[in-house]
Amino acid sequence: MPSRKRTTLALPAVLALSISACGVAGGSSDDTDARSTVSGEVTGEISFQTWNLKGGYEEYFTGLVDAFEAAHPGTTVKWIDQPAEGYQDKLSADAAAGSLPDVVDVGPEAAFTLAGAGMLLDLSKTDAAAQSDYLPKAWDANHFPSLGGTYAYPWYLNTGPSFFNTAVLEKCGVTGDLPTTYDALFTAGLRMATECKADASMVGRLPAIENFGSYGVPLMDSGGTTFTFNDAKGVELVNHYKELFTAGGLTEATLNELQTGEVDAFKAGQVGWLPGSSYTLKDLKETAPKVAKTVEISPQITNDKPNMYIESLAVNAKSENTATAVAFAKFATDKENQLAFSQKAAIFPSATGALDDEYFTQDDGTDETALRLESAKAVSEAIVYWPAAFSSKSVDHLREQIALAVLGKKDVQEALDEAVEYANGNLNQ
């Protein structure tokens, strides 16, 4: 999404909060029970907070609010849009001050933290029937087993195929079918290392937690109480990166790269593979037109289901106008309104049946439509691998541990054991 900066969608960890650090106490059981059944007239004023969507989408949201108020006379929706930078801090501050908006735009990580502090309505108690209105995997993304509830209505989704710079691949001796599995990717990466050494590499950064998931590594136990990505499969994945580094297929600088650095390296013709999104092609055409001409789009690299990211709307459990807040959250995330929003932004709807619309099924022969159809197909079967309980601190720590292992400064198993121990230690903070 142009105005939101792609990185905010691709890196949901930035939404992780430090609510507890700000002194927000968990909601009392009395408070939660009092809100466990939503009833009452849909009327009165509520606040609705989005994350950096005003620029470029103001007309859509103004129309959304007007339509809701017209359908429910006597209601007023105060739309608040917060800038991208510092959004998690703003949520944290509002939660600490008891001024969290009635309906808030959240990722699973923020929802998990707010829910753990007793700040969000548990939909498994108040609106369990709503589950059938959304794609199952999207609904599951806001169900937190360790908390025992479901805490947000799924809103928009994003995923993306692989982008390969064929000029770089051919220069480094990689020809034929493009990789679609991790094994094929690493084999091609080793070939590139042999041919090109430091001039170009296949991958531009170390694996993140969602890569472990799409590689086939079980990330948590079924109860969502313990991380488990330090098993033999996880060790196998990290060893692939270590082998690439030893062969010259990864530089030391790459070991510290975040997603933005990976994108910049791809645009500079230094990386052969970029895990992209539905926005990537447009971005490449605008900012790296020479690279865009050499790009081929291929299905997402995965050994299992494709990965996707999700944004949702949660309802403040302490809202003074809960019935109206719930009604608006469901209105904004219904099929009609999600379809309308997805046609204005490079996103995908989570509402049941919306992906069957011809906008996501009819090819008009353009590159942009082909990308949209490929991504929509992936969304229909994708999983939000990123565990909501995996905090931003755990993200950084995992990357540091993998880098030490790839450099040979720490045993791979020991590095993952430490990363799991650290993540488990942050589960309840």
Side-chain angles (χ1 to χ4, degrees):
M1 304 177 68
S3 70
R4 195 172 177 123
K5 297 180 183 179
R6 168 60 197 156
T7 52
T8 60
L9 289 172
L11 293 176
V14 299
L15 278 176
L17 305 178
S18 299
I19 302 284
S20 59
C22 295
V24 177
S28 71
S29 59
D30 289 343
D31 288 343
T32 302
D33 290 345
R35 306 291 182 185
S36 64
T37 302
V38 174
S39 61
E41 187 179 0
V42 177
T43 188
E45 181 175 319
I46 60 167
S47 53
F48 163 48
Q49 179 169 288
T50 55
W51 178 30
N52 195 32
L53 291 171
K54 195 165 190 176
Y57 305 103
E58 185 166 5
E59 182 179 352
Y60 170 79
F61 283 101
T62 300
L64 182 75
V65 168
D66 288 346
F68 179 80
E69 292 175 347
H72 301 281
T75 60
T76 301
V77 178
K78 181 183 178 183
W79 176 35
I80 307 162
D81 189 61
Q82 298 293 343
E85 298 300 325
Y87 185 68
Q88 62 271 32
D89 295 333
K90 176 62 176 171
L91 282 177
S92 179
D94 285 346
S99 57
L100 193 70
D102 298 289
V103 179
V104 289
D105 176 354
V106 291
E109 308 78 38
F112 178 80
T113 308
L114 290 168
M119 300 298 295
L120 300 184
L121 210 61
D122 180 358
L123 306 184
S124 67
K125 295 179 179 176
T126 64
D127 197 9
Q131 180 174 359
S132 62
D133 296 333
Y134 305 93
L135 296 175
K137 295 301 182 184
W139 183 265
D140 289 348
N142 291 307
H143 175 69
F144 308 137
S146 63
L147 301 180
T150 304
Y151 294 92
Y153 294 99
W155 195 14
Y156 60 84
L157 311 171
N158 216 331
T159 187
S162 293
F163 291 78
F164 286 98
N165 186 330
T166 57
V168 170
L169 265 58
E170 290 174 8
K171 183 181 74 173
C172 298
V174 176
T175 57
D177 294 339
L178 295 171
T180 58
T181 66
Y182 280 99
D183 283 349
L185 182 77
F186 294 131
T187 298
L190 289 172
R191 178 65 184 270
M192 288 182 67
T194 300
E195 296 288 333
C196 284
K197 291 297 180 183
D199 290 342
S201 61
M202 179 62 85
V203 300
R205 64 171 170 145
L206 295 177
I209 191 67
E210 68 267 36
N211 301 116
F212 281 76
S214 61
Y215 189 75
V217 180
L219 303 179
M220 298 191 81
D221 65 354
S222 59
T225 58
T226 306
F227 286 100
T228 59
F229 56 85
N230 58 336
D231 74 348
K233 195 74 174 175
V235 171
E236 179 183 292
L237 175 62
V238 176
N239 272 325
H240 278 305
Y241 282 84
K242 185 176 181 179
E243 187 178 14
L244 270 183
F245 179 76
T246 302
L250 278 175
T251 65
E252 275 199 50
T254 302
L255 305 187
N256 296 315
E257 288 290 7
L258 302 177
Q259 195 230 10
T260 50
E262 178 187 38
V263 173
D264 290 342
F266 186 82
K267 290 179 178 177
Q270 299 167 348
V271 171
W273 167 62
L274 178 68
S277 75
S278 55
Y279 174 63
T280 300
L281 182 61
K282 182 174 185 290
D283 180 42
L284 290 175
K285 286 184 174 180
E286 291 176 352
T287 60
K290 290 184 179 179
V291 171
K293 290 179 181 177
T294 73
V295 158
E296 282 196 23
I297 299 172
S298 180
Q300 188 179 128
I301 300 289
T302 180
N303 291 344
D304 199 338
K305 302 294 185 184
N307 175 63
M308 69 176 175
Y309 301 102
I310 184 172
E311 204 69 13
S312 302
L313 293 182
V315 175
N316 182 352
K318 302 179 187 301
S319 170
E320 295 299 320
N321 207 344
T322 311
T324 304
V326 167
F328 181 78
K330 296 182 71 171
F331 178 77
T333 61
D334 69 17
K335 180 180 175 182
E336 180 181 5
N337 285 313
Q338 287 209 37
L339 266 174
F341 189 33
S342 65
Q343 293 178 29
K344 293 182 179 299
I347 57 167
F348 299 90
S350 64
T352 302
L355 289 172
D356 296 331
D357 187 87
E358 63 179 17
Y359 184 70
F360 297 108
T361 59
Q362 298 298 312
D363 193 354
D364 62 6
T366 64
D367 292 343
E368 287 75 11
T369 298
L371 172 58
R372 183 170 67 247
L373 267 56
E374 176 73 32
S375 298
K377 181 181 177 183
V379 163
S380 66
E381 57 186 22
I383 294 173
V384 179
Y385 281 113
W386 196 307
F390 199 68
S391 69
S392 59
K393 290 188 294 185
S394 296
V395 170
D396 294 338
H397 191 261
L398 173 61
R399 187 175 62 252
E400 292 166 2
Q401 291 303 308
I402 293 176
L404 290 172
V406 168
L407 287 168
K409 296 182 177 179
K410 180 175 277 191
D411 177 75
V412 173
Q413 183 68 65
E414 290 179 2
L416 289 183
D417 288 348
E418 184 166 329
V420 163
E421 182 179 359
Y422 184 87
N424 285 334
N426 280 280
L427 270 171
N428 299 314
Q429 293 184 15

